[in-house]
Amino acid sequence: MTRLSSAFAKPHRALVTFITAGDGDTAANLDALVEGGADVIELGMPFTDPMADGPAIQAANIRALGAGTTTAEVLRIAREFRQRHPDVPLVLMGYANPMVRRGPEWFASAAAEAGVDGVICVDIPPEEDDALGPALRAAGIAPIRLATPTTDAARLPQVLEGSAGFLYYVSVAGITGKQQAAQASIDEAVRRLKAATNLPVAVGFGVRTPEQAAAIAKVADGVVVGSALVELVGEHGKDAPEHLRKLTSALAEAIRTAG
Amino acid sequence: MTEHPNSSGNQPPAKANSFRQMPDSRGHFGTYGGRYVAETLMPLVLELEREYRAAKADAAFQQQFDDLLEHYVGRPSPLYFAERLTEALGGAQMWFKREELNHTGAHKINNCIGQILLAIRMGKTRIIAETGAGQHGVATATVCARFGLPCTIFMGATDVARQQPNVFRMKLLGAEVVPVDSGAATLKDAMNEALRHWVAHVEDTFYIIGTAAGPHPYPELVRDFQSVIGKEARAQMLARTGRLPDLLVAAVGGGSNAIGLFHPFLDDPDVAMVGVEAAGHGIDSGQHAASLTGGAPGVLHGNKTYLLQDEDGQITEAHSISAGLDYPGIGPEHAWLYESGRVKYLPIGDDEALEAFQLCCRLEGIIPALESAHALAALPKLVGDYGRDQIILVNVSGRGDKDIFTVADKLGVKI
Ligand SMILES: Cc1ncc(COP(=O)(O)O)c(C=O)c1O
């Protein structure tokens, strides 16, 4: 079993949490997420042009880059996380250009060496898989794909082909942030996805509260929370860990009682 | 695109080994181009490609496009022998393709006409676009007014401040102008915001991209719509001189006016081509917009192409005196033509462009856009390679009325 499949084989649904690398004291913030009960960590790789992100994560990218966060620093954060938390799956999430800059093989082997389990690349759809997918698979890293409300039945098999780790369902046609999907539409979409794949399905975009998380956990294998956590990092700076721990435990608690 | 009936010239069909057969079925120009977009947008760009193929094969679509270009835009644009500039440079004949005489004052409208017809064909009811200097924004707002579609233009807040006349023009034409505050608040950020908006309004919204870049099929369809420039020029040159030009010169921002001029000539082996990139304060200063000369391959805004970026793949800010060239990327077909060697690319700085701007005003009575002034500034450097009986054709992509404040400021004049 991989770290990712173990996380989705727990008796409860998985809580997947996102923060941006280099934004605040990332090591302390990541530890707080784990202590609060996160089952999977998504670590955002900052990029100058985060086209799929709303204001909260855009601001986090700017803060991280402003603090001088390099690719080497992101990998260092990952490596040290892996040393402190040997069993918690870690997924890098970001945009194509920083990932392919030194060549996909370089990135894949550096990420594998840092103990990364999966990679989500927002702007490499299945059509451009060659740009990164083969290198990730060769390095034993799961390429995690996104399905969205616009991914229709005809297209879904192409998205699933070559996906690994889990399937990330983006519940709103939109950017990360506050826009929320109607629960009924999430239920319907997750049922459709689960009928088409054995991969665990995690739902994200617009998930902010324990109540939402609980409702999603009734149907999906995982719940992804990003912007709400990133906002806490932006708001509380050095004091972010305690706030992150609090929100994460509330989310984890809600998921465990629901799922 | 089937040939424009008024302007097909003696266009040879694309041959095997042709430079005119790109992109491939996946939208790749060699290793460049492609569809690097979020999954939410993928079904849309696939639908756009299907619709574009259908439109391309539809005579009625072509006819409507041609008709609007003739009667609304004012095409064909003249081919003009620049006699006094030729004298001043003392060598090859200098000819201008007069895109600055188009309605709205630049080549941008050619593409907007084509794309709004596609939008209508696809049943889309809202239009969005990004703009830098405001030329593409004005052209988009114009076609939206003409066809009665609501229009939202994303424009960097820095550009909104320095291009007030175009902002007001867009508003007069009924467009909503949304200032974008992220990043350096210029064209790249406007494009990010337009993409964000598009992802959230996929059902009813058509995104009119302003240059030959972005996810496939945009680079191809923008090129095809802009190819009217080269098709006309080819026919006009043959009619006037009985021969083809020896050299084509055009400024390259994203690359739409250049590819529009170049593409119909790509398989004419005796026609050389130079794309002029904005060198800003100089390549070595780091403050420039020359993606080919000073950049490296990468992925941004839906395509793989040359980009200004650091060693980690973070995009760096472009600089040019010309807002329309102030972008850290370039269309993927140019990246491919650059590597194949078919087209040469030359960097020209702010000061050289400023000088050529003034020279063109005084010698030819034409106030060129600062973008086009970059192409004009390359002429003194190129003229020596050609004899007096040879022909250099320059694309005057736009008029410079929009730039008079920038130029006055640089010249230390208060207006
Ligand atoms: C007059 C003019 N020429 C050239 C450009 C550069 O764009 P492109 O390279 O797509 O022709 C612009 C862009 O705003 C423009 O307004």
Side-chain angles (χ1 to χ4, degrees), chain B residues 62-394:
Chain B
Q62 282 307 311
Q63 202 178 0
Q64 199 181 3
F65 179 64
D66 293 345
D67 185 76
L68 284 159
L69 287 187
E70 181 178 347
H71 301 293
Y72 188 64
V73 175
R75 303 203 71 90
S77 68
L79 182 76
Y80 165 74
F81 174 49
E83 197 176 334
R84 295 193 65 218
L85 182 66
T86 300
E87 260 169 48
L89 295 177
Q93 296 176 31
M94 301 296 167
W95 292 69
F96 290 176
K97 181 61 174 161
R98 303 281 308 272
E99 288 299 301
E100 98 281 8
L101 291 176
N102 292 336
H103 181 39
T104 71
H107 68 293
K108 296 283 177 189
I109 189 104
N110 303 329
N111 167 49
C112 291
I113 296 276
Q115 287 201 46
I116 201 153
L117 292 179
L118 264 182
I120 293 165
R121 194 185 160 94
M122 292 174 74
K124 302 293 181 185
T125 54
R126 298 178 65 240
I127 300 293
I128 59 168
E130 84 295 341
T131 196
Q135 287 309 101
H136 175 59
V138 168
T140 303
T142 298
V143 297
C144 288
R146 167 65 183 75
F147 287 96
L149 291 184
C151 169
T152 302
I153 305 289
F154 296 90
M155 188 170 185
T158 308
D159 290 335
V160 169
R162 65 180 173 179
Q163 304 286 343
Q164 273 300 318
N166 270 346
V167 173
F168 187 58
R169 267 181 206 115
M170 288 184 263
K171 288 182 178 166
L172 281 175
L173 292 160
E176 176 198 12
V177 179
V178 178
V180 177
D181 282 312
S182 56
T186 59
L187 179 55
K188 166 173 86 82
D189 312 291
M191 190 140 184
N192 288 334
E193 206 56 33
L195 284 166
R196 289 183 187 116
H197 184 93
W198 197 26
V199 176
H201 299 83
V202 287
E203 292 303 326
D204 60 353
T205 300
F206 190 99
Y207 180 12
I208 298 188
I209 293 184
T211 191
H216 178 63
Y218 280 101
E220 177 187 344
L221 67 86
V222 173
R223 174 198 73 199
D224 290 348
F225 292 138
Q226 290 293 3
S227 288
V228 66
I229 302 171
K231 288 178 194 166
E232 281 178 8
R234 201 170 188 287
Q236 289 166 321
M237 191 59 90
L238 286 170
R240 298 271 299 278
T241 68
R243 45 179 301 222
L244 293 178
D246 298 285
L247 173 67
L248 308 175
V249 182
V252 181
S256 68
N257 86 86
I259 202 71
L261 176 64
F262 295 169
H263 195 259
F265 293 93
L266 282 174
D267 285 340
D268 295 305
D270 296 333
V271 180
M273 301 175 197
V274 170
V276 180
E277 295 196 285
H281 297 314
I283 304 294
D284 296 337
S285 72
Q287 291 183 294
H288 61 82
S291 324
L292 293 175
T293 311
V299 175
L300 181 70
H301 292 156
N303 55 182
K304 182 173 179 195
T305 188
Y306 275 71
L307 302 170
L308 302 183
Q309 54 181 320
D310 70 12
E311 58 192 5
D312 277 337
Q314 305 298 347
I315 307 303
T316 52
E317 293 297 339
H319 165 80
S320 171
I321 188 175
S322 143
L325 304 182
D326 200 350
Y327 177 71
I330 184 167
E333 192 159 14
H334 287 288
W336 174 71
L337 289 168
Y338 170 70
E339 289 196 353
S340 72
R342 178 64 186 94
V343 179
K344 303 286 178 229
Y345 293 84
L346 187 71
I348 288 287
D350 288 356
D351 293 345
E352 297 164 290
L354 202 57
E355 219 170 278
F357 177 96
Q358 297 171 79
L359 192 71
C360 186
C361 291
R362 286 203 218 105
L363 289 180
E364 294 295 342
I366 294 170
I367 302 178
L370 275 172
E371 292 80 14
S372 319
H374 282 73
L376 294 165
L379 299 178
K381 304 191 171 196
L382 298 167
V383 70
D385 298 341
Y386 293 85
R388 282 178 187 272
D389 54 342
Q390 291 191 289
I391 294 175
I392 299 180
L393 171 57
V394 193

